[in-house]
Structures are given as structure tokens and as C-alpha cells.
Amino acid sequence: MATNEMPGTVPPELPTRPDDALRVRRLADKQRHGRAALDAVLDAGSVAHVAIVDDGQPLAIPMAYVRDGDRLLLHGSTGSRLLRQLAAGTPVCATITLLDGLVVARSAFESSMHYRSAMVLGSCEVLAVDEREAALERLTDGLIPGRAAEVRPSTRRELAATSVLSLPLQRWSVKVSDGEVEDDESDLDGDAWAGIVPIEVRHGRPRPAADLRADIEVPASVRALVDGR
Amino acid sequence: MATNEMPGTVPPELPTRPDDALRVRRLADKQRHGRAALDAVLDAGSVAHVAIVDDGQPLAIPMAYVRDGDRLLLHGSTGSRLLRQLAAGTPVCATITLLDGLVVARSAFESSMHYRSAMVLGSCEVLAVDEREAALERLTDGLIPGRAAEVRPSTRRELAATSVLSLPLQRWSVKVSDGEVEDDESDLDGDAWAGIVPIEVRHGRPRPAADLRADIEVPASVRALVDGR
């Protein structure tokens, strides 16, 4: 497995000084610099691994998110200690990684993966109560576009039980590995196969809930997910 | 989106005291306790988000891994600052999350996801030089079973450029969400659809490298990946 190509080195070099924080020092050819590249990765994902420090112990916690303009929205129960820590403004790192393929080289060393990965550093802010409903609709539509309009509005009790946080897209880094296999020249004469094996993610056939009334059809939002696969 | 069902609460409650470290306090019904459940999640994944603390800043970094008995193996370039930090024994949290489906409830609040997630806390150890080659073969076979036997052995130069680390499976937590939709009883009379939309991950058709000799066929390891999809 190529030690210089694995997700293990995404981004391999870590912030030390604020002004130099997120420059990728190794494999700089994989770094993308435009906001469009960041948005493309964020909009393709649905779950971030959110890292925080809890009494000196780092923790990486999977959380559903959606991009809303220049920020990520996260949410959770007001009763969750994690959410309270995020709401208090603890430093966070939200990393989104999409695996796109296996890079099968002629040697283990040069083998690696195709991936897209975005890392966002910062601190969360708590959304005001009057912003919460719209934000929850964004989160619902983030997973299933169009779903928010198909369900009843959230109740006051539900809104009160939910904390919604935003993380600004100010300090971020994007890396994309999508290149060809790069074997050592001395391996090209060998008999080993080389190529890319794509990793495909798709939505499967919807399974109605056991207690669903027989006359209720699969809604447009879910049909679009499955047809778009 | 159900604030009490999202990956955002996996595991929602964070370690404070060592003896109580990884007990899931909310949604305890989703926690799994056996090593078999842990191994099943770890063996189904290939990339962990590894969280460390760098000068007070948490960072979550995607890294390929493989389970090797009672430990995870990670690797990277000896030139990477991240790897050096891990090698120095900095506290880490390696989280593996597999998304299995969308739980589409009759309300946004009760909608959520099916997932499997494992979190391993601890510190890495550096593998001795004489263990490195076997560990790299495990890592290669972790992504593509059988591939290590199809490629030449690693060279001394390659082994010298690669750092391999192990993280013991001592402190860990597993959560699995795979249940039915659970709607509020008052929503059951409505017309909204409810059900599960599976998320399927599979290997696509292998694409040979542009410079591959025409007489070299797709190897058994890659064929097995694609057939097994």
C-alpha cells in the first residue's frame, strides 16, 4: 500500500501556526484550493466525523450534517453532553471522507485509494430558536432532497428537544485523489495487474415500514433518490 | 430528523472517568457489548477517522486500517508529522462508521439512519522492523483479500519508508442502528410514507491501467471483490 498515497496522509501535515494551518505539505498535488471543490465534497457527503477534545482525550464522533451556504449545520439532542460541549464553542474538526475506489498498483507500496476528503476547523455556534426550524428542514433535505415538504412541520416540543449548531467554512482543506496508478518504472515489465476498482455507493430498493398503510405509495423524494442512483 | 437516533449521538456520551469511559448513556439499546460485534464492524470497514489533539486543536484524519487480532494496524510515511505524533503515543480515538440506510419516518424528527459505528480509544505503538512486512501484507489484504500474494515483496527501501503502528482493542464501544421506523403514534394515521432506504456499497467494474500490457488479466483478488458485491 503506498504510504505516500493513502488516506492516512489526508491531510498529512497538521496545523502548527494559524497562518500556515491547513497547507498540505506532502502530496501537495492532491490539494484543491477553490471553494467550489470544498462545496462539491461537502455536498456529496452526509455524515462527518467531528473531533473534539474531552479532558485531553480526542474523540471522533459521526454526525449527520448539511452544508448551508458558508456553514455546516449539525444537530442533536439538547440532552446530549456532546452537543452541549459543541454548543459551548469547544474547538472542533469536522472531516468528511468519500471513498471512490481502490488503486491497485503492481506493488503493494504504490497501491492506494481514490478518495475525496474535506476537513473543516473551527468552533460551533448555537442557532437562535427562530432559525432552528429552517435549519432542520435543510438537514432533512440534505439526506433526502424534497423530504421536508412531504412531512408535517416540527412541533414545538420537537424543536425544543433539538439543538442545532453551525460551523463556519472559514478554515478548511480539501484533498482529492483521483489519478491513474503510478507504478515504479522497474515494475512495469512484471506480470502484475494494475488498475482502478471503483467503489460505488447507491440507494437500494425502499422497504415500506411494517405498519405502513397499503395505499401509501413511495413518495417523490425517495423515488428520486433511488432513480438517481 | 430524530435527534435521538442520528449518528450524531454515536456514542453521544463521552468518557469522563476511566471506569465509566465508554458506556453509552443515551440510546443504550443501540450499544453492542461483545467482541464479535466489534470485530464485525472493524472487519467491514477499511478507513478509520483517527482523532488526535495537536496543540489543543482536535483533528480527525482518515486512515486506512486493518484489524489484526486484538489490534488495529495503521500505516503511513515515516516522513509524516502525523505518523510521528501517533508513534510518540499521543492519545487517539479511531472511529469507523458504516452507513447502511436511511430511516424515513413519517416526521422529520423521527427520521434517522441505519449505521454501524465503532470507536477505539488508546495509544499507538510502533511495530518492530521485523513485524513490519507481515503487517503491510495484512494491510494490503485488508483492502483486497489475496492481493499480497499476487505482488512482489516490499523492498528494503519501501519498508524503511513506511511506519506501521498498532492500536490495541482495549477500550472500545460499538453502536448499531438497524431497527424499524419508530413513529410517534399520533403520526400513524397520516398519509406520509415510512420505511427504510438501504445504502449499498459495492465494487464496480475494474478499469485496467492505461499502460497495462494487454495479455495481463484481472487477478483473482480483484475478481473476488467484484463477484462478491
Side-chain angles (χ1 to χ4, degrees):
Chain A
M1 209 140 307
T3 54
N4 60 344
E5 294 274 326
M6 291 305 298
T9 55
V10 184
E13 298 304 323
L14 312 177
T16 45
R17 291 165 301 166
D19 56 329
D20 192 29
L22 290 172
R23 189 163 61 82
V24 174
R25 285 175 209 144
R26 290 168 42 77
L27 303 175
D29 61 309
K30 298 205 189 308
Q31 189 160 25
R32 301 291 183 271
H33 296 280
R35 246 311 282 280
L38 175 69
D39 291 356
V41 175
L42 297 177
D43 294 350
S46 59
V47 171
H49 280 80
V50 177
I52 64 166
V53 187
D54 186 59
D55 205 10
Q57 171 69 54
L59 296 165
I61 296 138
M63 298 185 74
Y65 75 90
V66 72
R67 183 178 69 86
D68 180 48
D70 294 332
R71 60 187 188 177
L72 295 186
L73 298 176
L74 303 167
H75 78 310
S77 164
T78 51
S80 149
R81 200 162 79 78
L82 163 68
L83 262 281
R84 288 198 300 272
Q85 232 170 315
L86 292 174
T90 192
V92 306
C93 167
T95 302
I96 290 90
T97 306
L98 304 162
L99 301 177
D100 295 324
L102 302 172
V103 179
V104 186
R106 293 161 175 94
S107 67
F109 188 76
E110 294 295 346
S111 297
S112 63
M113 293 185 86
H114 277 176
Y115 59 85
R116 289 164 285 164
S117 187
M119 180 184 269
V120 181
L121 303 190
S123 297
C124 292
E125 286 176 18
V126 182
L127 259 65
V129 176
D130 62 350
E131 289 185 281
R132 213 180 275 177
E133 186 161 8
L136 287 172
E137 289 179 4
R138 286 277 309 147
L139 279 155
T140 295
D141 282 347
L143 282 177
I144 311 180
R147 182 61 180 161
E150 294 172 347
V151 293
R152 63 164 172 75
S154 296
T155 65
R156 249 183 241 191
R157 184 189 59 80
E158 289 170 348
L159 291 173
T162 308
S163 185
V164 186
L165 304 170
S166 69
L167 177 62
L169 299 178
Q170 285 167 352
R171 296 179 64 203
W172 51 266
S173 160
V174 174
K175 265 182 91 180
V176 175
S177 167
D178 58 3
E180 257 286 359
V181 183
E182 289 179 23
D183 270 304
D184 195 279
E185 209 167 309
S186 64
D187 286 322
L188 297 181
D189 294 332
D191 292 328
W193 188 83
I196 307 290
V197 182
I199 294 174
E200 301 169 349
V201 180
R202 55 178 219 166
H203 293 100
R205 195 191 182 79
R207 292 199 309 264
D211 59 4
L212 188 73
R213 282 201 337 257
D215 64 313
I216 300 179
E217 290 181 2
V218 176
S221 65
V222 171
R223 281 204 312 272
L225 277 186
V226 177
D227 293 343
R229 72 191 178 182
Chain B
M1 210 142 304
T3 54
N4 61 346
E5 293 274 326
M6 291 305 297
T9 55
V10 184
E13 298 304 322
L14 311 177
T16 45
R17 291 166 301 167
D19 56 328
D20 193 31
L22 291 172
R23 190 163 60 83
V24 175
R25 285 175 209 145
R26 291 169 41 77
L27 304 175
D29 61 310
K30 297 206 189 308
Q31 190 160 26
R32 300 291 183 273
H33 297 280
R35 247 310 283 278
L38 175 69
D39 291 356
V41 175
L42 297 177
D43 294 350
S46 59
V47 170
H49 280 80
V50 176
I52 63 166
V53 186
D54 186 60
D55 205 11
Q57 171 69 55
L59 297 164
I61 296 138
M63 298 185 74
Y65 74 89
V66 72
R67 183 178 69 87
D68 179 48
D70 294 331
R71 61 187 187 177
L72 295 186
L73 297 176
L74 303 166
H75 79 310
S77 163
T78 50
S80 148
R81 200 161 81 76
L82 163 67
L83 261 283
R84 288 198 299 271
Q85 232 170 314
L86 291 174
T90 192
V92 306
C93 168
T95 301
I96 290 90
T97 305
L98 304 161
L99 301 177
D100 294 324
L102 302 172
V103 179
V104 186
R106 293 162 176 92
S107 67
F109 188 77
E110 294 294 346
S111 297
S112 63
M113 293 184 87
H114 276 175
Y115 59 84
R116 290 163 284 164
S117 187
M119 181 184 269
V120 181
L121 303 190
S123 296
C124 292
E125 287 177 18
V126 181
L127 259 63
V129 176
D130 62 349
E131 289 185 280
R132 212 180 275 177
E133 185 161 9
L136 287 171
E137 289 179 5
R138 286 277 308 147
L139 280 156
T140 296
D141 281 347
L143 282 177
I144 311 180
R147 183 60 180 162
E150 294 173 347
V151 293
R152 63 164 173 75
S154 295
T155 64
R156 249 182 239 190
R157 183 188 61 80
E158 289 169 349
L159 291 173
T162 309
S163 185
V164 186
L165 304 169
S166 69
L167 177 62
L169 299 177
Q170 284 166 354
R171 297 179 63 203
W172 51 267
S173 160
V174 174
K175 263 182 92 180
V176 175
S177 167
D178 58 2
E180 257 287 359
V181 184
E182 289 179 25
D183 269 304
D184 195 280
E185 208 167 309
S186 64
D187 286 322
L188 296 180
D189 293 333
D191 293 327
W193 188 83
I196 307 291
V197 181
I199 295 173
E200 301 169 348
V201 181
R202 55 177 219 165
H203 293 99
R205 196 190 182 80
R207 294 198 308 264
D211 59 4
L212 188 72
R213 283 202 335 258
D215 64 313
I216 300 180
E217 290 182 1
V218 176
S221 66
V222 172
R223 282 204 312 274
L225 277 186
V226 176
D227 293 342
R229 72 191 179 182

